[in-house]
Amino acid sequence: MKRRIIAALMALCLCIGLLPATALAVDDPTDRSDSLEITKETTRRNGLSWSNVVAAEVGDEITYEITIENHANEAATDVVVSDSFFNGKVASVQYKTEYYETDAGDILGYHSSESQTLQVENGQITIPSIPKNEEVDYWIFGVENYPGRCIITYTYTLQRGDAAPYDNQELVNTASVGSKSDSVSVTVQATGGSTNDS
């Protein structure tokens, strides 16, 4: 609504000659989607570092990590992220942002903000801001780009309904930002009985 009001006021100013035509460019989150990249992976099983080499079991706690990179030369604000597990399975997530330090007075490298909690609302979360891409000119080696990043984590406990009765089952879920998405799969061991058993 706020953006619509601003756009309407700017259009009015244009009509009466107070603004040049180029001033009508209004910040729109959907216009930034091409600058964002998303990846998703499983990082821990029951609190220990883990990659999905063997099947997990019902009751295991699986930690998922979503990384969003901002390749634009300005911060991305109000970034909406959706996930298959945000529809009833996960109520909140932890997130932190990372930016690359280019000031010669500080140590070059990524610096992180403190982890914060976000509540899932209507199947999605909204990241307030993801730092901009930083360019570093290494003279001989040329310019390197270091995108701003946001790292989102949450833990999900595998339920009996996530496993098939007599064969391993793939639990697949997908995270999305704009038109970009990435999926990760966890193999869940068979339960050896009906999924309706108590």
Side-chain angles (χ1 to χ4, degrees), residues 2 7 16 23 54 57 62 73-74 76 92 103 117 138 155 157-158 174 179 189 191:
K2 182 177 179 182
I16 61 178
V54 296
E57 300 176 354
I62 306 300
N73 293 324
E74 60 181 14
S92 65
D103 188 344
T117 301
Y138 289 110
T155 299
T157 302
L158 295 175
T174 303
S179 61
Q189 286 184 341
T191 60

Side-chain angles (χ1 to χ4, degrees), residues 107-173:
I107 299 175
L108 291 178
Y110 276 102
H111 294 250
S112 300
S113 66
E114 291 188 10
S115 181
Q116 300 183 57
T117 301
L118 274 177
Q119 299 299 315
V120 173
E121 297 182 4
N122 300 318
Q124 60 191 27
I125 58 172
T126 301
I127 305 299
S129 181
I130 302 177
K132 67 178 182 176
N133 176 76
E134 294 287 354
E135 293 183 349
V136 179
D137 191 342
Y138 289 110
W139 301 326
I140 297 175
F141 301 105
V143 174
E144 291 288 338
N145 288 285
Y146 297 91
R149 303 189 294 214
C150 178
I151 299 173
I152 302 160
T153 58
Y154 65 82
T155 299
Y156 173 70
T157 302
L158 295 175
Q159 305 297 308
R160 189 169 177 84
D162 296 325
Y166 301 109
D167 195 6
N168 290 349
Q169 178 163 292
E170 296 299 312
L171 178 64
V172 181
N173 74 325

Side-chain angles (χ1 to χ4, degrees), residues 23-166:
L24 278 180
V26 178
D27 184 30
D28 184 349
T30 59
D31 294 338
R32 300 191 306 268
S33 60
D34 287 343
S35 299
L36 300 176
E37 297 293 339
I38 186 169
T39 56
K40 182 169 186 176
E41 60 182 336
T42 54
T43 58
R44 304 184 81 81
R45 176 186 182 188
N46 297 327
L48 301 176
S49 181
W50 172 69
S51 59
N52 190 25
V53 178
V54 296
E57 300 176 354
V58 172
D60 282 352
E61 292 184 346
I62 306 300
T63 299
Y64 291 88
E65 183 174 285
I66 303 166
T67 301
I68 300 173
E69 292 187 339
N70 178 22
H71 294 267
N73 293 324
E74 60 181 14
T77 57
D78 299 327
V79 177
V80 176
V81 182
S82 61
D83 188 285
S84 303
F85 283 4
F86 291 173
N87 292 311
K89 291 187 174 184
V90 173
S92 65
V93 303
Q94 297 293 311
Y95 84 98
K96 63 180 179 179
T97 56
E98 294 186 343
Y99 67 95
Y100 194 83
E101 180 58 65
T102 58
D103 188 344
D106 205 341
I107 299 175
L108 291 178
Y110 276 102
H111 294 250
S112 300
S113 66
E114 291 188 10
S115 181
Q116 300 183 57
T117 301
L118 274 177
Q119 299 299 315
V120 173
E121 297 182 4
N122 300 318
Q124 60 191 27
I125 58 172
T126 301
I127 305 299
S129 181
I130 302 177
K132 67 178 182 176
N133 176 76
E134 294 287 354
E135 293 183 349
V136 179
D137 191 342
Y138 289 110
W139 301 326
I140 297 175
F141 301 105
V143 174
E144 291 288 338
N145 288 285
Y146 297 91
R149 303 189 294 214
C150 178
I151 299 173
I152 302 160
T153 58
Y154 65 82
T155 299
Y156 173 70
T157 302
L158 295 175
Q159 305 297 308
R160 189 169 177 84
D162 296 325
Y166 301 109

